[in-house]
């Protein structure tokens, strides 16, 4: 007797049957193209091999290093720092199910295929630190699910892409040869963006005030624009990126004036770095930065200025870097009694006078090197710290090295008193 199955029974049978493993012929063709165009894939720990299906294991782990599967499809290609060279083939855009591409830190050249804009499921695209060139395809930056994009440190040129996906949370595009597009792009208007890296964009001079006034990044937590050719004084950040926690603006010698005004609203700011700028004053507003733990003004323009007393009023400041900034005069006693500071680096200035008493049980690092007119003796308060590094080289410190310094043998790993007037033995335990 012939038995006929109902549609419902057929459905249940198919549901219970194991999925057929294996990628599609199109995906196999793309893998073959990748192997043929990118040198190094066949030399990985689990080498990529032509005409071999890497997704037959039935798990996310594939037969190829850096390739993840989802049942019968290729889900991710993750191969940063893998010694790869060559070019990304145009056919890669046929991997429409791909969620992540990461080729960062290799030596890929050529252009980025515009066909990647067909990957509507792509969430991560990282080709940073390669040798890629050409204009960057607009269609990639607008992919609807894209959250992370990095194509920094390449050789892209032309305008910065004008349109960007509102889903993006991380963008890094510096270190290329952009001509224009910073202000005409939606890049500075993304509601979900958390981190923006514009280091070394190689644009012409960028007016700092105009740049910040173009910004509406309400959820941004980190902005880095090292070597960004910013010019002018620090504008008001209030209402532009009030949640920012890290500002890294080193290598902008066109930034001048005062640090403090315009930043007082950044109550979540934890790290501020303005190294190698022309900043020459610290305003009282900086004490309003109640979350600030790291401040670096090394290489700034405090020529013939004393250390600002206001620095000791920043309530949570843990690390102060103020090297090679032209500072003169004595070290304020308030700085050496701060309850929060753990690292003070004031080397390569023209500071003078005797060291004030130190009452800082949490001090970990003190650097006063190459300040030829600092005098006095090593403060005994240093012996009651958690000191890991002490650099007094090139100062006029004198007297005997305190025997109590042996109390620091369990913590002190860097101890430099060369070119001083100190005498006496250095403990054998160092």
């Amino acid at each position: 007797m012939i038995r006929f199955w109902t549609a419902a029974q057929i459905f249940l049978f198919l549901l219970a049957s194991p999925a057929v493993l294996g990628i599609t012929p199109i995906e196999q063709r793309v893998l073959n193209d990748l192997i043929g165009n990118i040198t190094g894939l066949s030399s990985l720990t689990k080498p990529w091999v032509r005409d071999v299906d890497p997704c037959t294991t039935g798990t996310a782990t594939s037969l190829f290093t850096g390739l993840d599967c989802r049942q019968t499809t290729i889900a991710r290609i993750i191969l940063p720092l893998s010694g790869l060279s060559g070019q990304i083939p145009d056919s890669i855009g046929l991997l429409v199910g791909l969620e992540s591409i990461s080729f960062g830190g290799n030596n890929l050249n050529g252009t980025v295929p515009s066909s990647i804009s067909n990957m509507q499921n792509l969430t991560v695209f990282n080709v940073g630190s390669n040798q890629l060139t050409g204009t960057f395809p607009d269609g990639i930056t607008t992919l609807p699910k894209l959250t992370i994009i990095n194509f920094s440190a390449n050789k892209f040129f032309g305008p910065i892409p004008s349109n960007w996906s509102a889903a993006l949370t991380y963008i890094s595009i510096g270190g290329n040869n952009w001509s224009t597009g910073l202000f005409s792009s939606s890049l500075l208007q993304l509601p979900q963006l958390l981190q923006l890296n514009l280091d070394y964009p190689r644009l012409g001079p960028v007016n700092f005030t105009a740049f910040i006034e173009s910004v509406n990044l309400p959820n941004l937590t980190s902005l880095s624009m090292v070597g960004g050719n910013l010019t002018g004084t620090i504008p008001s950040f209030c209402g532009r990126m009030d949640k920012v926690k890290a500002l890294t603006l080193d290598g902008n010698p066109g930034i001048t004036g005062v640090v403090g005004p315009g930043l007082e609203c950044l109550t979540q700011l934890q790290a501020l770095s303005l190294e190698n700028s022309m900043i020459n004053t610290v305003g009282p507003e900086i004490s309003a930065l109640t979350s600030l733990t790291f401040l670096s003004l090394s290489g700034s323009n405090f020529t013939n200025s004393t250390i600002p007393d206001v620095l000791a009023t920043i309530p949570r400041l843990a690390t102060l870097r103020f090297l090679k900034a032209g500072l003169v005069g004595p070290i304020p006693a308030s700085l050496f009694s701060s309850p929060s500071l753990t690292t003070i680096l004031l080397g390569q200035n023209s500071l003078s006078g005797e060291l004030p008493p130190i009452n800082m049980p949490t001090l970990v690092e003190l650097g006063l090197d190459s300040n030829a007119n600092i005098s006095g003796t090593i403060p005994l308060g240093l012996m009651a710290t958690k000191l890991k590094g002490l650099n007094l080289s090139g100062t006029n410190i004198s007297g005997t090295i305190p025997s109590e310094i042996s109390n620091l043998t369990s913590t002190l790993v860097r101890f430099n008193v060369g070119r001083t007037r100190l005498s006496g033995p250095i403990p054998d335990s160092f």
Side-chain angles (χ1 to χ4, degrees):
M1 177 179 175
I2 299 175
R3 181 180 179 185
F4 294 95
W5 285 16
T6 65
Q9 287 173 318
I10 294 171
F11 174 77
L12 290 172
F13 173 77
L14 293 174
L15 193 65
S17 300
V20 177
L21 300 176
I23 60 175
T24 67
I26 290 177
E27 290 176 313
Q28 188 68 69
R29 173 196 151 195
V30 175
L31 290 184
N32 287 347
D33 286 350
L34 285 164
I35 294 166
N37 284 273
I38 298 179
T39 302
L41 290 177
S42 59
S43 302
L44 298 170
T45 304
K46 293 191 292 183
W48 291 36
V49 181
R50 291 179 63 88
D51 299 320
V52 169
D53 183 343
C55 296
T56 56
T57 63
T59 67
T61 303
S62 80
L63 299 176
F64 294 174
T65 293
L67 188 146
D68 292 341
C69 303
R70 177 170 289 111
Q71 292 184 335
T72 62
T73 191
I74 299 169
R76 289 175 291 275
I77 298 176
I78 311 294
L79 287 167
L81 302 170
S82 298
L84 306 178
S85 60
Q87 300 184 1
I88 303 171
D90 207 43
S91 60
I92 195 172
L94 296 173
L95 299 179
V96 292
L98 206 61
E99 298 170 5
S100 297
I101 299 175
S102 181
F103 284 123
N106 286 290
N107 196 32
L108 300 177
N109 58 60
T111 59
V112 170
S114 59
S115 63
I116 292 174
S117 61
N118 297 326
M119 297 179 175
Q120 298 298 301
N121 292 306
L122 199 66
T123 62
V124 176
F125 183 70
N126 176 13
V127 291
S129 300
N130 279 281
Q131 300 293 319
L132 296 164
T133 188
T135 56
F136 195 85
D138 254 349
I140 298 176
T141 59
T142 57
L143 287 169
K145 296 183 180 179
L146 196 65
T147 59
I148 295 173
I149 189 166
N150 178 2
F151 50 95
S152 61
N154 279 283
K155 297 179 180 179
F156 295 115
F157 55 80
I160 292 172
S162 56
N163 296 305
W164 298 79
S165 169
L168 280 160
T169 61
Y170 176 93
I171 296 174
S172 182
I173 64 170
N176 288 291
N177 296 301
W178 304 120
S179 56
T180 57
L182 184 60
F183 295 110
S184 60
S185 170
S186 65
L187 176 68
L188 305 180
Q189 306 287 323
L190 300 175
Q192 303 303 319
L193 193 64
L194 301 177
Q195 297 183 56
L196 177 59
N197 185 324
L198 294 171
D199 294 348
Y200 303 105
R202 300 192 182 99
L203 292 162
V206 177
N207 182 278
F208 202 175
T209 297
F211 172 68
I212 295 300
E213 288 181 351
S214 300
V215 167
N216 181 19
L217 299 170
N219 287 297
L220 195 73
T221 60
S222 175
L223 171 65
S224 183
M225 204 165 177
V226 175
N229 210 1
L230 294 167
T231 63
T233 57
I234 297 176
S236 175
F237 280 65
C238 300
R240 302 292 179 178
M241 52 178 83
D242 291 347
K243 294 182 180 180
V244 73
K245 296 180 179 179
L247 280 175
T248 308
L249 303 171
D250 302 336
N252 284 284
I255 297 178
T256 62
V258 186
V259 57
L263 302 178
E264 62 270 22
C265 54
L266 303 182
T267 56
Q268 297 184 45
L269 188 64
Q270 298 174 9
L272 174 61
S273 191
L274 283 157
E275 294 186 1
N276 300 312
S277 70
M278 293 297 284
I279 293 292
N280 59 19
T281 309
V282 178
E285 297 85 354
I286 204 164
S287 61
L289 301 181
T290 53
S291 298
L292 193 68
T293 61
F294 177 94
L295 175 63
S296 182
L297 296 170
S298 294
S300 49
N301 188 36
F302 282 75
T303 305
N304 296 323
S305 297
T306 57
I307 296 174
D309 288 322
V310 71
L311 294 175
T313 69
I314 304 173
R316 295 184 183 177
L317 190 63
T319 298
L320 175 63
R321 293 174 50 89
F322 221 148
L323 297 93
K324 206 174 182 179
L327 294 166
V328 300
I331 297 172
S334 58
L335 200 64
F336 275 6
S337 59
S338 166
S340 60
L341 275 168
T342 62
T343 300
I344 301 175
L345 301 178
L346 302 172
Q348 302 175 66
N349 285 291
S350 298
L351 299 171
S352 59
E354 295 191 2
L355 290 181
I358 291 179
N359 180 23
M360 304 176 70
T362 59
L363 188 65
V364 171
E365 183 97 19
L366 178 62
L368 302 174
D369 49 295
S370 300
N371 284 281
N373 293 315
I374 287 181
S375 58
T377 59
I378 295 179
L380 287 178
L382 273 177
M383 309 306 120
T385 66
K386 299 178 179 179
L387 208 61
K388 293 182 179 179
L390 177 63
N391 191 348
L392 301 175
S393 65
T395 66
N396 200 33
I397 297 289
S398 60
T400 303
I401 296 175
S403 59
E404 292 88 347
I405 203 166
S406 60
N407 298 337
L408 300 174
T409 55
S410 63
T411 60
L412 193 61
V413 293
R414 295 177 297 280
F415 181 62
N416 190 344
V417 291
R419 296 179 293 116
T420 66
R421 296 174 58 206
L422 288 164
S423 61
I426 295 174
D428 293 337
S429 51
F430 287 159

